[in-house]
Amino acid sequence: MLTGFFLREYRQRGFWNAVGTILLLSWSVGHFGATVALTESTETALSLASWLVRLLLVIFLVIWWTSSLARERTERFEQVLLSLPLSRLVLLRQRLLSWLIVASVLSVPTGVLLWAMGAEAISTLQWMLSFMLELWLVAAVTLFVASVLTGVGSGVMSVLLFYLFMRMVAYAAALAQAQWTESETLNESLSDVMQAMVHFFPSLHEYATADMILHGVPWSLLGWQALQTTLFLLVLLLAGGFDFGRREVAT
């Protein structure tokens, strides 16, 4: 099974050293915030730590995954994979599955970190699951972008910009309600387009928030996030199966 083969890459000590450094840095920043806070030191520490660990892990994984695919192309290993009696879609699915496993595993120590810093157990579990779903989306976006772009720098920047767009699209839709032009038709069209994007893209601004780790959320919200994530994963996986070089569905 290719998923197990792809997971062998994560036996590298450098990968886990980087993850440990991110966790330690997030704890340090959270602890520093607690020491300088005049009130609600625990809440300050949790807010800072949850924000930083999420940001740094997303950036780290995007760079790692993009660099890994670029290295395979450089070493011609991608051609070896494509020579196997498997369709491109199957190869993408196996790789994505390995990335989802890694994302799921990494969500556990982040939850443990926040729990050790004083978060409630239920809130920690909810935040951890929501963060896992967010990392799943990042994995799918990275795999899709890597199917289109081959450069490491362009790939990383494109994924991070797309990630930022998904986090900001709801706010952009709210701003689109204002009257930006004198044309009522143009304003309505802009608003409709932004609302369509809100319904298509996952509500990433609601994933793994500070409010979730501090106060918890209804479980129905996590169910909705799981549904959004699953549907978007399928869309990106199918889109990644399209060979943009030949402009056809790759087999």
Side-chain angles (χ1 to χ4, degrees):
M1 188 176 181
L2 281 177
T3 300
F5 177 80
F6 290 138
L7 286 173
R8 293 176 60 184
E9 177 183 3
Y10 301 95
R11 296 178 181 178
Q12 299 182 35
R13 182 179 299 178
F15 178 85
W16 296 106
N17 285 342
V19 172
T21 301
I22 289 173
L23 294 174
L24 180 60
L25 179 60
S26 301
W27 176 84
S28 302
V29 171
H31 181 70
F32 174 77
T35 58
V36 300
L38 298 178
T39 59
E40 300 181 338
S41 59
T42 301
E43 289 78 2
T44 301
L46 289 173
S47 298
L48 287 174
S50 62
W51 169 78
L52 188 60
V53 74
R54 182 182 64 182
L55 176 65
L56 294 181
L57 275 180
V58 166
I59 294 175
F60 168 67
L61 286 176
V62 169
I63 295 174
W64 181 275
W65 286 332
T66 306
S67 301
S68 175
L69 292 176
R71 184 171 60 254
E72 288 185 4
R73 292 193 181 101
T74 302
E75 297 174 353
R76 307 283 181 169
F77 184 70
E78 186 181 40
Q79 296 180 6
V80 176
L81 292 175
L82 293 175
S83 67
L84 297 175
L86 298 172
S87 68
R88 178 186 175 93
L89 191 59
V90 171
L91 293 174
L92 289 175
R93 187 173 68 238
Q94 295 289 329
R95 188 186 297 277
L96 179 60
L97 179 58
S98 69
W99 289 5
L100 298 186
I101 292 174
V102 172
S104 302
V105 171
L106 290 184
S107 67
V108 176
T110 60
V112 172
L113 172 69
L114 297 177
W115 175 75
M117 293 179 67
E120 296 291 335
I122 297 300
S123 300
T124 300
L125 179 60
Q126 290 182 332
W127 188 94
M128 185 178 67
L129 292 174
S130 184
F131 183 52
M132 179 188 71
L133 295 174
E134 181 174 346
L135 291 181
W136 284 12
L137 287 169
V138 171
V141 170
T142 304
L143 188 59
F144 169 73
V145 171
S147 301
V148 182
L149 303 176
T150 58
V152 176
S154 59
V156 169
M157 289 303 300
S158 298
V159 173
L160 293 179
L161 287 174
F162 194 60
Y163 172 79
L164 179 63
F165 170 76
M166 287 197 297
R167 293 196 63 85
M168 300 295 295
V169 64
Y171 303 108
L175 290 175
Q177 301 294 328
Q179 299 295 320
W180 291 98
T181 67
E182 296 181 356
S183 173
E184 187 69 24
T185 302
L186 184 59
N187 288 328
E188 291 181 357
S189 299
L190 178 61
S191 178
D192 291 341
V193 169
M194 295 306 301
Q195 289 298 325
M197 289 185 177
V198 169
H199 287 90
F200 177 74
F201 293 103
S203 303
L204 204 55
H205 66 288
E206 297 179 349
Y207 284 59
T209 61
D211 188 65
M212 183 179 293
I213 193 64
L214 294 177
H215 309 295
V217 293
W219 285 99
S220 57
L221 176 61
L222 287 176
W224 173 243
Q225 290 179 358
L227 178 61
Q228 283 185 311
T229 301
T230 302
L231 294 176
F232 204 63
L233 282 179
L234 293 175
V235 170
L236 289 177
L237 183 60
L238 292 174
F242 185 85
D243 191 330
F244 288 88
R246 299 179 180 179
R247 298 183 181 181
E248 62 183 14
V249 177
T251 58

